[in-house]
Amino acid sequence: MSAAHFHLALNHIPLLGILFGAALLAYGLWRDSSDVQTASLGLLAIAGLTTIAVYLTGEPAEEIVEGLAGVSHDAIEAHEALGTYALVAGLLTGLTSIAPLVLGAARARLVRGTVLLTLILALASTALIGYT
């Protein structure tokens, strides 16, 4: 399996993981279910942190596909530039999803604000990663 295969296989994890994590988090907030929120925050943390693996496999994948017929160098460069922003967005989502898990119920008000921030970041990350 080449780096291009790894990149293509891995890039669905943050996209779908953050998308489903955001939907689950919105449901958990709507139903005021701490168990659902905790599960979704865990999913968002894992999915957000996998953007590192996707980003790191991007450059070796570029080396493989850039010489193939029908592959646009400009499109690859645009994808690479957006990939940096997608990495940052995914990492921010992953890291902000860890904060409520660490803070716990002792600071419920701060946690709810952090959970809402995480939901907003997750939605923005999904859009950016999908566009990338």
Side-chain angles (χ1 to χ4, degrees):
M1 194 176 224
S2 71
H5 291 111
F6 276 121
H7 185 69
L8 290 172
L10 289 174
N11 72 20
H12 292 87
I13 296 170
L15 176 63
L16 296 175
I18 293 174
L19 175 65
F20 292 130
L24 192 62
L25 186 57
Y27 177 76
L29 285 167
W30 177 57
R31 300 294 290 175
D32 199 28
S33 171
S34 61
D35 291 337
V36 173
Q37 290 177 35
T38 301
S40 64
L41 290 169
L43 175 59
L44 287 169
I46 292 168
L49 294 176
T50 59
T51 58
I52 297 169
V54 174
Y55 184 79
L56 292 177
T57 59
E59 188 69 33
E62 177 186 7
E63 299 298 322
I64 292 170
V65 300
E66 70 183 347
L68 298 176
V71 176
S72 167
H73 178 72
D74 293 338
I76 290 175
E77 292 304 315
H79 178 70
E80 185 178 2
L82 284 170
T84 304
Y85 296 114
L87 171 68
V88 171
L91 286 175
L92 281 174
T93 300
L95 294 174
T96 58
S97 65
I98 293 171
L101 297 174
V102 172
L103 291 175
R107 298 183 181 114
R109 186 172 179 188
L110 178 61
V111 169
R112 180 148 176 95
T114 308
V115 169
L116 287 171
L117 174 65
T118 302
L119 177 60
I120 293 166
L121 283 172
L123 294 172
S125 295
T126 299
L128 184 57
I129 292 170
Y131 185 72
T132 300

